Amino acid sequence: MDEQFVSIGKAAKMLGMSIDGLRKWEREGRLIPVRTVTNHRRYRVADLRALMHADAPDVARDTRCLLYARVSTKKQQDAGNLDRQLGRLTAFAAEQRWTVVAALTDVASGLNDKRRGLHRLLDLAQQHQAGIVAVESQDRLARFGFTYRERYLHAFGVRVVVMEHTGKDDPQELVEDVIAITTSFAARIYGKRGGEKMGSTVRQAMATLAQDGVPE
């Protein structure tokens, strides 16, 4: 077979199982297909052959892992927040017995799409260098639009594992991201100086709210 990817029907036939069984494996995270632009499942022939020659029926999924950690500011990095975040991810990957391919970091707003670490992560995913991206929380990968990035990675056979699902967020990071997006939009309208002035105004306003509280 010369194809690099096959449909779910061909994959089921190769493995001697039902299509519903393959879908169940996907839900369980055992065998993750990639998705075409029309949202059809495609399975790597190499992965299927590995399953066919596995001694046990519960073959391990691709455990090559990319760790991604992010903080919003240099101050947070200097305080050790980035190192501690990466340490927790490393310990988590070890517990799962994943093979860490790369540990990528950024010091930037979650609204910033020009993050060097994030771009490197996406490049490695496109090159099929890993099967997992591990993050501590969704906002580490993206403040908004997490689902779109997750679907993009899935298209290359990479699943995103979120270490914590608490839904909690760092208020200071939210403040920094609000300031960042306000400054960016103001700069487009009023120029760089206008953007900086607007950002400073928003920062002062947020500081006042934090000190005095929000009036009822």
Side-chain angles (χ1 to χ4, degrees):
M1 183 179 296
D2 295 329
E3 300 111 308
Q4 184 180 0
F5 297 92
V6 294
S7 66
I8 190 171
K10 287 186 178 180
K13 186 175 181 180
M14 286 178 66
L15 295 175
M17 62 188 299
S18 68
I19 289 176
D20 286 341
L22 273 181
R23 288 173 177 155
K24 182 174 183 291
W25 276 17
E26 181 182 351
R27 291 194 297 272
E28 294 173 348
R30 294 186 186 180
L31 184 62
I32 307 297
V34 300
R35 296 279 183 162
T36 67
V37 293
T38 54
N39 206 33
H40 289 92
R41 293 175 176 83
R42 291 293 182 268
Y43 292 81
R44 285 197 193 90
V45 171
D47 292 343
L48 298 174
R49 285 175 175 162
L51 286 168
M52 292 165 64
H53 293 93
D55 294 329
D58 292 335
V59 63
R61 56 184 175 265
D62 187 348
T63 57
R64 296 172 302 157
C65 178
L66 299 173
L67 306 181
Y68 181 74
R70 180 189 65 78
V71 293
S72 290
T73 65
K74 183 69 164 54
K75 181 179 179 180
Q76 291 171 327
Q77 181 187 28
D78 291 342
N81 293 356
L82 186 62
D83 289 339
R84 285 192 290 273
Q85 186 183 146
L86 195 57
R88 289 190 293 269
L89 283 170
T90 301
F92 178 69
E95 290 174 1
Q96 305 301 317
R97 297 184 178 180
W98 295 337
T99 301
V100 176
V101 175
L104 305 166
T105 62
D106 278 309
V107 180
S109 166
L111 299 168
N112 187 346
D113 283 333
K114 296 180 180 180
R115 288 173 267 160
R116 185 173 299 179
L118 176 62
H119 283 203
R120 178 59 179 158
L121 182 151
L122 297 177
D123 287 343
L124 290 171
Q126 290 175 16
Q127 297 164 13
H128 304 295
Q129 296 299 306
I132 301 166
V133 167
V135 294
E136 192 167 53
S137 58
Q138 290 187 6
D139 65 279
R140 298 303 90 194
L141 193 61
R143 176 65 68 188
F144 302 111
F146 172 84
T147 301
Y148 296 110
R149 288 219 169 91
E150 184 180 38
R151 285 179 62 86
Y152 178 86
L153 289 165
H154 277 185
F156 295 98
V158 180
R159 63 193 181 97
V160 179
V161 175
V162 179
M163 184 176 162
E164 296 178 356
H165 294 272
T166 61
K168 294 180 180 178
D169 215 331
D170 182 353
Q172 183 57 38
E173 287 224 349
L174 284 171
V175 169
E176 295 295 337
D177 285 342
V178 168
I179 293 169
I181 195 169
T182 302
T183 302
S184 176
F185 277 109
R188 292 184 183 183
I189 299 172
Y190 304 112
K192 183 178 179 181
R193 287 188 178 180
E196 291 174 349
K197 184 177 180 180
M198 182 66 74
S200 177
T201 300
V202 172
R203 187 181 296 278
Q204 291 173 7
M206 298 293 276
T208 300
L209 284 174
Q211 182 177 358
D212 299 338
V214 179
E216 295 182 1

